[in-house]
Amino acid sequence: MSYTIQQVSQLTGVSAYSIRYYDSRELIPGIQRDENNVRQFDEESVDVVRLITCFRKTGMPLKAIKHYIDLIPGGDATLQERFEIMAQHKADILDEATVLNNNLKIVQRKLNAYQTNLAALTVKAD
């Protein structure tokens, strides 16, 4: 099946502008163009857009994403390197999750303190 950029945008939640940008950076292999020069995406290229979105939302730089995607056509010969990239990215995500959880605890303590203070003010006003 073939998809237009608007359809890919709807399927993935990624703006057409971003998809065009990813295409200009040669991050989405296999995009064909029809007789009117309109981009045509297949299932595989839609999956790549989803992968890029996942990587971007989890902090991977575009240069690293490009390197990873460039390895895919290498098949089994690049499997180990792709595994290592993915394992490192997972470790980076877990580190970031720890930082976020620690910051969330601080925010929650502040909210609890505000809630206690607001409740005390309400009691005094009565």
Side-chain angles (χ1 to χ4, degrees):
M1 176 156 196
S2 181
Y3 301 97
T4 66
I5 198 164
Q6 293 304 324
Q7 291 169 320
V8 174
S9 178
Q10 290 173 344
L11 287 169
T12 62
V14 178
S15 72
Y17 175 84
S18 293
I19 295 169
R20 283 185 198 94
Y21 178 73
Y22 297 152
D23 182 31
S24 75
R25 299 286 304 262
E26 298 179 351
L27 291 170
I28 311 170
I31 295 177
Q32 303 296 316
R33 293 193 179 248
D34 67 11
E35 62 279 355
N36 298 317
N37 205 31
V38 174
R39 291 175 184 87
Q40 297 294 305
F41 298 79
D42 59 14
E43 292 288 340
E44 201 171 307
S45 55
V46 173
D47 287 342
V48 170
V49 172
R50 288 186 179 114
L51 181 65
I52 293 167
T53 302
C54 171
F55 284 159
R56 292 297 298 144
K57 286 185 176 182
T58 54
M60 185 181 279
L62 284 177
K63 184 176 180 181
I65 295 171
K66 172 87 170 112
H67 177 67
Y68 179 85
I69 290 172
D70 286 347
L71 291 172
I72 293 171
D76 290 347
T78 63
L79 195 59
Q80 182 65 39
E81 187 174 358
R82 286 182 285 145
F83 174 83
E84 290 167 6
I85 290 168
M86 196 64 69
Q88 181 59 55
H89 190 58
K90 178 184 176 185
D92 293 344
I93 292 169
L94 290 172
D95 289 346
E96 182 65 22
T98 300
V99 169
L100 288 171
N101 280 324
N102 289 337
N103 289 332
L104 180 59
K105 289 175 187 174
I106 293 168
V107 168
Q108 187 60 54
R109 281 197 301 270
K110 292 302 287 180
L111 282 171
N112 292 343
Y114 290 136
Q115 197 169 28
T116 300
N117 291 336
L118 287 170
L121 287 175
T122 304
V123 170
K124 286 182 186 179
D126 292 338

